[in-house]
Amino acid sequence: KLQEPFVLRVGQRLRLTPVLTPTPRPAPQTLEQRARAFEITIDDVMTGGQPAANGPVPRATGEPRPAPLPAVTGTAPAFRWPLPGRIISGFGPKPGGRFNDGVNLKASAGEAVRAAGDGVVAYAGDAIPGFGNLLLVKHAGGWVSAYAHNEALLVTRGARVKAGEAIARA
């Protein structure tokens, strides 16, 4: 008796019964719909820490959100491009009410993805729907760089990285 968006909670009991007749499959969800179903954002990963590192933990209705990220201070560090690919989607509003929180770059499969600046790996994993193998690196002044949809991650959570260091493969 699950209902859309079919979110399961810890401790919930499931009874599986054989399906005797094929049922039509629902239309596939967009990445945004899947992320909304789990109520997980990059802010949740950065402020929640451990739960996101071990997989998405759906929030119970009415449960408060974690404290916001600390304010970004000073001027932005001199970030480097993580790879030489061309921009395929820039930051900002998109058609249909969507919004891109980053800059999407075209990359060749297996190409080295390099840290944009010195920092510490705050998240390394694939547990956040819609981002694939994701790395988040915390930098000085409250800045965070994100590297999503990687083929392989070359660093783990807690690792200190230097600007230009290979941290993933596209």
Side-chain angles (χ1 to χ4, degrees), residues 86-127:
R86 68 178 171 81
I87 297 174
I88 57 176
S89 181
F91 176 86
K94 300 294 172 203
R98 298 170 75 177
F99 190 91
N100 190 5
D101 289 324
V103 176
N104 300 29
L105 302 175
K106 181 165 179 63
S108 299
E111 184 172 6
V113 176
R114 301 184 180 281
D118 296 351
V120 176
V121 177
Y123 178 84
D126 65 354

mmCIF file of all heavy atoms in Angstrom, residues 86-127:
data_model
loop_
_atom_site.group_PDB
_atom_site.id
_atom_site.type_symbol
_atom_site.label_atom_id
_atom_site.label_comp_id
_atom_site.label_asym_id
_atom_site.label_seq_id
_atom_site.Cartn_x
_atom_site.Cartn_y
_atom_site.Cartn_z
ATOM 1 N N ARG A 86 34.106 22.346 -22.446
ATOM 2 C CA ARG A 86 33.324 23.562 -22.688
ATOM 3 C C ARG A 86 32.090 23.574 -21.806
ATOM 4 O O ARG A 86 31.600 22.523 -21.379
ATOM 5 C CB ARG A 86 32.954 23.693 -24.156
ATOM 6 C CG ARG A 86 31.971 22.667 -24.654
ATOM 7 C CD ARG A 86 31.599 22.896 -26.136
ATOM 8 N NE ARG A 86 30.825 21.810 -26.652
ATOM 9 C CZ ARG A 86 29.520 21.657 -26.460
ATOM 10 N NH1 ARG A 86 28.839 22.548 -25.783
ATOM 11 N NH2 ARG A 86 28.880 20.615 -26.961
ATOM 12 N N ILE A 87 31.557 24.753 -21.519
ATOM 13 C CA ILE A 87 30.360 24.889 -20.698
ATOM 14 C C ILE A 87 29.149 24.432 -21.515
ATOM 15 O O ILE A 87 28.912 24.936 -22.610
ATOM 16 C CB ILE A 87 30.169 26.340 -20.224
ATOM 17 C CG1 ILE A 87 31.328 26.753 -19.324
ATOM 18 C CG2 ILE A 87 28.824 26.507 -19.509
ATOM 19 C CD1 ILE A 87 31.318 28.212 -18.911
ATOM 20 N N ILE A 88 28.385 23.461 -20.975
ATOM 21 C CA ILE A 88 27.171 23.005 -21.658
ATOM 22 C C ILE A 88 25.914 23.524 -20.955
ATOM 23 O O ILE A 88 24.840 23.494 -21.528
ATOM 24 C CB ILE A 88 27.130 21.468 -21.818
ATOM 25 C CG1 ILE A 88 27.255 20.756 -20.476
ATOM 26 C CG2 ILE A 88 28.210 21.012 -22.779
ATOM 27 C CD1 ILE A 88 27.119 19.246 -20.550
ATOM 28 N N SER A 89 26.048 23.996 -19.726
ATOM 29 C CA SER A 89 24.938 24.639 -19.015
ATOM 30 C C SER A 89 25.524 25.551 -17.944
ATOM 31 O O SER A 89 26.247 25.086 -17.065
ATOM 32 C CB SER A 89 24.012 23.597 -18.385
ATOM 33 O OG SER A 89 22.935 24.247 -17.724
ATOM 34 N N GLY A 90 25.205 26.824 -18.044
ATOM 35 C CA GLY A 90 25.727 27.786 -17.086
ATOM 36 C C GLY A 90 24.890 27.868 -15.823
ATOM 37 O O GLY A 90 23.814 27.279 -15.715
ATOM 38 N N PHE A 91 25.374 28.614 -14.866
ATOM 39 C CA PHE A 91 24.692 28.834 -13.596
ATOM 40 C C PHE A 91 23.449 29.694 -13.806
ATOM 41 O O PHE A 91 23.459 30.606 -14.618
ATOM 42 C CB PHE A 91 25.656 29.544 -12.633
ATOM 43 C CG PHE A 91 25.039 29.903 -11.317
ATOM 44 C CD1 PHE A 91 25.009 28.982 -10.286
ATOM 45 C CD2 PHE A 91 24.492 31.155 -11.107
ATOM 46 C CE1 PHE A 91 24.440 29.310 -9.063
ATOM 47 C CE2 PHE A 91 23.927 31.489 -9.888
ATOM 48 C CZ PHE A 91 23.897 30.561 -8.869
ATOM 49 N N GLY A 92 22.380 29.405 -13.054
ATOM 50 C CA GLY A 92 21.220 30.284 -13.052
ATOM 51 C C GLY A 92 19.939 29.654 -13.538
ATOM 52 O O GLY A 92 19.840 28.443 -13.738
ATOM 53 N N PRO A 93 18.899 30.511 -13.734
ATOM 54 C CA PRO A 93 17.573 30.021 -14.130
ATOM 55 C C PRO A 93 17.603 29.348 -15.495
ATOM 56 O O PRO A 93 18.347 29.753 -16.386
ATOM 57 C CB PRO A 93 16.718 31.284 -14.178
ATOM 58 C CG PRO A 93 17.524 32.373 -13.604
ATOM 59 C CD PRO A 93 18.948 31.946 -13.578
ATOM 60 N N LYS A 94 16.735 28.325 -15.619
ATOM 61 C CA LYS A 94 16.601 27.572 -16.872
ATOM 62 C C LYS A 94 15.125 27.527 -17.249
ATOM 63 O O LYS A 94 14.255 27.766 -16.418
ATOM 64 C CB LYS A 94 17.144 26.146 -16.709
ATOM 65 C CG LYS A 94 18.606 26.084 -16.321
ATOM 66 C CD LYS A 94 19.473 26.617 -17.417
ATOM 67 C CE LYS A 94 20.911 26.743 -16.963
ATOM 68 N NZ LYS A 94 21.658 27.694 -17.715
ATOM 69 N N PRO A 95 14.809 27.169 -18.494
ATOM 70 C CA PRO A 95 13.403 27.071 -18.905
ATOM 71 C C PRO A 95 12.622 26.105 -18.015
ATOM 72 O O PRO A 95 13.186 25.170 -17.463
ATOM 73 C CB PRO A 95 13.487 26.544 -20.339
ATOM 74 C CG PRO A 95 14.867 26.880 -20.805
ATOM 75 C CD PRO A 95 15.741 26.858 -19.574
ATOM 76 N N GLY A 96 11.347 26.344 -17.885
ATOM 77 C CA GLY A 96 10.483 25.458 -17.114
ATOM 78 C C GLY A 96 10.599 25.635 -15.616
ATOM 79 O O GLY A 96 10.246 24.737 -14.858
ATOM 80 N N GLY A 97 11.131 26.776 -15.172
ATOM 81 C CA GLY A 97 11.234 27.036 -13.744
ATOM 82 C C GLY A 97 12.384 26.323 -13.057
ATOM 83 O O GLY A 97 12.496 26.340 -11.841
ATOM 84 N N ARG A 98 13.248 25.698 -13.831
ATOM 85 C CA ARG A 98 14.401 25.010 -13.247
ATOM 86 C C ARG A 98 15.512 26.004 -12.961
ATOM 87 O O ARG A 98 15.494 27.126 -13.456
ATOM 88 C CB ARG A 98 14.873 23.913 -14.188
ATOM 89 C CG ARG A 98 13.786 22.850 -14.402
ATOM 90 C CD ARG A 98 14.116 21.909 -15.489
ATOM 91 N NE ARG A 98 15.132 20.970 -15.034
ATOM 92 C CZ ARG A 98 15.592 19.976 -15.769
ATOM 93 N NH1 ARG A 98 15.152 19.807 -16.982
ATOM 94 N NH2 ARG A 98 16.503 19.168 -15.306
ATOM 95 N N PHE A 99 16.490 25.569 -12.152
ATOM 96 C CA PHE A 99 17.617 26.432 -11.800
ATOM 97 C C PHE A 99 18.858 25.566 -11.691
ATOM 98 O O PHE A 99 18.826 24.506 -11.075
ATOM 99 C CB PHE A 99 17.345 27.128 -10.455
ATOM 100 C CG PHE A 99 18.339 28.199 -10.134
ATOM 101 C CD1 PHE A 99 18.107 29.508 -10.528
ATOM 102 C CD2 PHE A 99 19.506 27.912 -9.444
ATOM 103 C CE1 PHE A 99 19.030 30.508 -10.238
ATOM 104 C CE2 PHE A 99 20.434 28.903 -9.163
ATOM 105 C CZ PHE A 99 20.183 30.202 -9.555
ATOM 106 N N ASN A 100 19.941 25.989 -12.315
ATOM 107 C CA ASN A 100 21.206 25.262 -12.235
ATOM 108 C C ASN A 100 22.061 25.922 -11.164
ATOM 109 O O ASN A 100 22.438 27.083 -11.296
ATOM 110 C CB ASN A 100 21.919 25.268 -13.594
ATOM 111 C CG ASN A 100 23.110 24.320 -13.607
ATOM 112 O OD1 ASN A 100 23.366 23.591 -12.658
ATOM 113 N ND2 ASN A 100 23.845 24.336 -14.711
ATOM 114 N N ASP A 101 22.376 25.166 -10.111
ATOM 115 C CA ASP A 101 23.185 25.688 -9.006
ATOM 116 C C ASP A 101 24.674 25.622 -9.300
ATOM 117 O O ASP A 101 25.483 25.929 -8.419
ATOM 118 C CB ASP A 101 22.904 24.889 -7.732
ATOM 119 C CG ASP A 101 21.537 25.179 -7.165
ATOM 120 O OD1 ASP A 101 21.091 26.325 -7.252
ATOM 121 O OD2 ASP A 101 20.917 24.246 -6.634
ATOM 122 N N GLY A 102 25.035 25.210 -10.484
ATOM 123 C CA GLY A 102 26.454 25.084 -10.809
ATOM 124 C C GLY A 102 26.714 25.383 -12.267
ATOM 125 O O GLY A 102 25.896 25.996 -12.949
ATOM 126 N N VAL A 103 27.860 24.946 -12.727
ATOM 127 C CA VAL A 103 28.254 25.081 -14.129
ATOM 128 C C VAL A 103 28.543 23.668 -14.617
ATOM 129 O O VAL A 103 29.346 22.958 -14.022
ATOM 130 C CB VAL A 103 29.513 25.964 -14.278
ATOM 131 C CG1 VAL A 103 29.970 26.016 -15.716
ATOM 132 C CG2 VAL A 103 29.262 27.360 -13.732
ATOM 133 N N ASN A 104 27.862 23.240 -15.673
ATOM 134 C CA ASN A 104 28.068 21.904 -16.215
ATOM 135 C C ASN A 104 29.069 21.974 -17.361
ATOM 136 O O ASN A 104 28.898 22.778 -18.277
ATOM 137 C CB ASN A 104 26.748 21.335 -16.724
ATOM 138 C CG ASN A 104 25.697 21.226 -15.643
ATOM 139 O OD1 ASN A 104 25.683 21.990 -14.685
ATOM 140 N ND2 ASN A 104 24.792 20.295 -15.806
ATOM 141 N N LEU A 105 30.080 21.113 -17.291
ATOM 142 C CA LEU A 105 31.122 21.077 -18.305
ATOM 143 C C LEU A 105 31.083 19.757 -19.053
ATOM 144 O O LEU A 105 30.845 18.707 -18.465
ATOM 145 C CB LEU A 105 32.505 21.230 -17.655
ATOM 146 C CG LEU A 105 32.742 22.483 -16.823
ATOM 147 C CD1 LEU A 105 34.093 22.423 -16.146
ATOM 148 C CD2 LEU A 105 32.626 23.721 -17.681
ATOM 149 N N LYS A 106 31.335 19.816 -20.370
ATOM 150 C CA LYS A 106 31.433 18.592 -21.176
ATOM 151 C C LYS A 106 32.798 17.984 -20.907
ATOM 152 O O LYS A 106 33.806 18.674 -20.894
ATOM 153 C CB LYS A 106 31.276 18.921 -22.653
ATOM 154 C CG LYS A 106 31.346 17.682 -23.534
ATOM 155 C CD LYS A 106 30.824 17.968 -24.920
ATOM 156 C CE LYS A 106 30.914 16.771 -25.826
ATOM 157 N NZ LYS A 106 30.108 15.646 -25.409
ATOM 158 N N ALA A 107 32.812 16.688 -20.670
ATOM 159 C CA ALA A 107 34.064 15.994 -20.368
ATOM 160 C C ALA A 107 34.159 14.715 -21.167
ATOM 161 O O ALA A 107 33.142 14.117 -21.529
ATOM 162 C CB ALA A 107 34.136 15.676 -18.879
ATOM 163 N N SER A 108 35.367 14.310 -21.456
ATOM 164 C CA SER A 108 35.599 13.018 -22.106
ATOM 165 C C SER A 108 35.637 11.944 -21.036
ATOM 166 O O SER A 108 36.182 12.165 -19.946
ATOM 167 C CB SER A 108 36.936 13.034 -22.851
ATOM 168 O OG SER A 108 36.916 14.023 -23.849
ATOM 169 N N ALA A 109 35.082 10.773 -21.331
ATOM 170 C CA ALA A 109 35.070 9.676 -20.366
ATOM 171 C C ALA A 109 36.486 9.354 -19.903
ATOM 172 O O ALA A 109 37.406 9.268 -20.714
ATOM 173 C CB ALA A 109 34.419 8.445 -20.983
ATOM 174 N N GLY A 110 36.643 9.206 -18.597
ATOM 175 C CA GLY A 110 37.938 8.852 -18.022
ATOM 176 C C GLY A 110 38.877 10.024 -17.805
ATOM 177 O O GLY A 110 39.944 9.859 -17.197
ATOM 178 N N GLU A 111 38.505 11.218 -18.291
ATOM 179 C CA GLU A 111 39.360 12.400 -18.129
ATOM 180 C C GLU A 111 39.517 12.759 -16.662
ATOM 181 O O GLU A 111 38.588 12.627 -15.864
ATOM 182 C CB GLU A 111 38.725 13.574 -18.883
ATOM 183 C CG GLU A 111 39.551 14.826 -18.889
ATOM 184 C CD GLU A 111 38.967 15.888 -19.807
ATOM 185 O OE1 GLU A 111 37.858 15.677 -20.352
ATOM 186 O OE2 GLU A 111 39.620 16.915 -19.975
ATOM 187 N N ALA A 112 40.712 13.212 -16.268
ATOM 188 C CA ALA A 112 40.975 13.608 -14.882
ATOM 189 C C ALA A 112 40.153 14.839 -14.511
ATOM 190 O O ALA A 112 40.099 15.811 -15.255
ATOM 191 C CB ALA A 112 42.456 13.894 -14.679
ATOM 192 N N VAL A 113 39.496 14.763 -13.353
ATOM 193 C CA VAL A 113 38.790 15.903 -12.773
ATOM 194 C C VAL A 113 39.685 16.392 -11.642
ATOM 195 O O VAL A 113 40.085 15.609 -10.777
ATOM 196 C CB VAL A 113 37.401 15.490 -12.224
ATOM 197 C CG1 VAL A 113 36.718 16.662 -11.546
ATOM 198 C CG2 VAL A 113 36.540 14.925 -13.338
ATOM 199 N N ARG A 114 40.025 17.682 -11.667
ATOM 200 C CA ARG A 114 41.001 18.222 -10.710
ATOM 201 C C ARG A 114 40.349 19.181 -9.726
ATOM 202 O O ARG A 114 39.392 19.875 -10.065
ATOM 203 C CB ARG A 114 42.124 18.912 -11.476
ATOM 204 C CG ARG A 114 42.815 17.939 -12.428
ATOM 205 C CD ARG A 114 44.007 18.530 -13.142
ATOM 206 N NE ARG A 114 44.604 17.550 -14.031
ATOM 207 C CZ ARG A 114 45.407 16.564 -13.641
ATOM 208 N NH1 ARG A 114 45.710 16.425 -12.372
ATOM 209 N NH2 ARG A 114 45.899 15.719 -14.521
ATOM 210 N N ALA A 115 40.861 19.204 -8.501
ATOM 211 C CA ALA A 115 40.337 20.088 -7.465
ATOM 212 C C ALA A 115 40.478 21.538 -7.910
ATOM 213 O O ALA A 115 41.530 21.953 -8.403
ATOM 214 C CB ALA A 115 41.080 19.871 -6.153
ATOM 215 N N ALA A 116 39.405 22.306 -7.725
ATOM 216 C CA ALA A 116 39.399 23.714 -8.122
ATOM 217 C C ALA A 116 40.269 24.556 -7.191
ATOM 218 O O ALA A 116 40.725 25.630 -7.568
ATOM 219 C CB ALA A 116 37.971 24.245 -8.114
ATOM 220 N N GLY A 117 40.504 24.071 -5.979
ATOM 221 C CA GLY A 117 41.324 24.794 -5.013
ATOM 222 C C GLY A 117 41.689 23.875 -3.863
ATOM 223 O O GLY A 117 41.190 22.755 -3.756
ATOM 224 N N ASP A 118 42.577 24.350 -2.988
ATOM 225 C CA ASP A 118 42.953 23.583 -1.807
ATOM 226 C C ASP A 118 41.736 23.406 -0.910
ATOM 227 O O ASP A 118 40.899 24.313 -0.798
ATOM 228 C CB ASP A 118 44.030 24.325 -1.007
ATOM 229 C CG ASP A 118 45.345 24.484 -1.763
ATOM 230 O OD1 ASP A 118 45.503 23.889 -2.840
ATOM 231 O OD2 ASP A 118 46.217 25.219 -1.258
ATOM 232 N N GLY A 119 41.621 22.250 -0.262
ATOM 233 C CA GLY A 119 40.504 22.043 0.642
ATOM 234 C C GLY A 119 40.472 20.643 1.216
ATOM 235 O O GLY A 119 41.443 19.890 1.112
ATOM 236 N N VAL A 120 39.334 20.321 1.842
ATOM 237 C CA VAL A 120 39.127 19.019 2.467
ATOM 238 C C VAL A 120 37.867 18.404 1.861
ATOM 239 O O VAL A 120 36.846 19.073 1.736
ATOM 240 C CB VAL A 120 38.957 19.160 4.000
ATOM 241 C CG1 VAL A 120 38.647 17.815 4.642
ATOM 242 C CG2 VAL A 120 40.202 19.774 4.616
ATOM 243 N N VAL A 121 37.944 17.121 1.506
ATOM 244 C CA VAL A 121 36.802 16.420 0.930
ATOM 245 C C VAL A 121 35.743 16.242 2.030
ATOM 246 O O VAL A 121 35.992 15.573 3.032
ATOM 247 C CB VAL A 121 37.208 15.056 0.331
ATOM 248 C CG1 VAL A 121 35.989 14.312 -0.202
ATOM 249 C CG2 VAL A 121 38.248 15.243 -0.764
ATOM 250 N N ALA A 122 34.587 16.874 1.840
ATOM 251 C CA ALA A 122 33.496 16.815 2.815
ATOM 252 C C ALA A 122 32.540 15.681 2.511
ATOM 253 O O ALA A 122 31.848 15.190 3.397
ATOM 254 C CB ALA A 122 32.740 18.139 2.834
ATOM 255 N N TYR A 123 32.458 15.260 1.259
ATOM 256 C CA TYR A 123 31.577 14.166 0.859
ATOM 257 C C TYR A 123 32.172 13.490 -0.360
ATOM 258 O O TYR A 123 32.673 14.159 -1.270
ATOM 259 C CB TYR A 123 30.162 14.682 0.523
ATOM 260 C CG TYR A 123 29.244 13.583 0.048
ATOM 261 C CD1 TYR A 123 28.571 12.779 0.955
ATOM 262 C CD2 TYR A 123 29.070 13.328 -1.298
ATOM 263 C CE1 TYR A 123 27.750 11.746 0.525
ATOM 264 C CE2 TYR A 123 28.256 12.301 -1.736
ATOM 265 C CZ TYR A 123 27.599 11.513 -0.825
ATOM 266 O OH TYR A 123 26.801 10.489 -1.256
ATOM 267 N N ALA A 124 32.116 12.168 -0.381
ATOM 268 C CA ALA A 124 32.550 11.378 -1.529
ATOM 269 C C ALA A 124 31.648 10.157 -1.594
ATOM 270 O O ALA A 124 31.719 9.294 -0.730
ATOM 271 C CB ALA A 124 34.016 10.960 -1.379
ATOM 272 N N GLY A 125 30.761 10.115 -2.591
ATOM 273 C CA GLY A 125 29.872 8.959 -2.681
ATOM 274 C C GLY A 125 28.817 9.101 -3.756
ATOM 275 O O GLY A 125 28.801 10.063 -4.511
ATOM 276 N N ASP A 126 27.918 8.116 -3.784
ATOM 277 C CA ASP A 126 26.862 8.099 -4.802
ATOM 278 C C ASP A 126 25.480 7.960 -4.181
ATOM 279 O O ASP A 126 24.539 7.536 -4.832
ATOM 280 C CB ASP A 126 27.117 6.982 -5.813
ATOM 281 C CG ASP A 126 27.021 5.592 -5.196
ATOM 282 O OD1 ASP A 126 26.865 5.484 -3.955
ATOM 283 O OD2 ASP A 126 27.092 4.613 -5.943
ATOM 284 N N ALA A 127 25.346 8.344 -2.903
ATOM 285 C CA ALA A 127 24.080 8.136 -2.189
ATOM 286 C C ALA A 127 23.067 9.262 -2.384
ATOM 287 O O ALA A 127 21.953 9.154 -1.907
ATOM 288 C CB ALA A 127 24.356 7.947 -0.694
#
